[in-house]
């Protein structure tokens, strides 16, 4: 059940991050899920200890989704930086 929640929340978070970074036209649904899951991991590793909010693994809340979204945005910014030489 946890894996299914990762896929659903990861897809939503990845889609929202791609809308924020304006890369939605370049990504499909599979890449949105990957960006969301990796972004959630990145956000949980970097941001969660700073703000004291749990990750999606510990329970879904508004704070955990925001931390995952920020992690996904950071991930897309890093990818854009290497791909184009600028963040956008």
């Amino acid at each position: 059940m946890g894996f299914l929640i990762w896929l659903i929340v990861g897809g939503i978070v990845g889609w929202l991050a791609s809308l924020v970074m304006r890369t939605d036209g370049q990504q499909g649904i599979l890449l949105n899920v990957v960006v969301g899951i990796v972004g959630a991991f990145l956000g949980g590793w970097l941001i969660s200890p700073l703000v004291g909010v749990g990750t999606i693994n510990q329970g879904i809340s508004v704070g955990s989704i925001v931390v995952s979204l920020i992690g996904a945005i950071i991930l897309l910014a890093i990818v854009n930086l290497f791909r184009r030489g600028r963040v956008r």
Side-chain angles (χ1 to χ4, degrees):
M1 190 66 166
F3 182 72
L4 184 64
I5 291 175
W6 269 18
L7 291 177
I8 293 170
V9 174
I12 293 170
V13 167
W15 175 68
L16 289 173
S18 68
L19 287 176
V20 169
M21 293 299 292
R22 289 178 255 152
T23 60
D24 191 41
Q26 303 166 0
Q27 299 178 183
I29 196 166
L30 182 66
L31 196 55
N32 279 339
V33 171
V34 170
V35 165
I37 291 173
V38 174
F41 175 75
L42 185 66
W45 185 61
L46 290 175
I47 300 165
S48 188
L50 296 175
V51 296
V53 176
T55 61
I56 292 176
N57 291 335
Q58 298 163 344
I60 296 178
S61 67
V62 174
S64 66
I65 292 175
V66 169
V67 165
S68 299
L69 179 64
I70 292 171
I73 290 171
I74 290 171
L75 176 67
L76 285 176
I78 292 170
V79 168
N80 283 339
L81 185 66
F82 283 115
R83 189 184 306 173
R84 294 190 181 99
R86 60 188 168 106
V87 174
R88 207 185 231 199

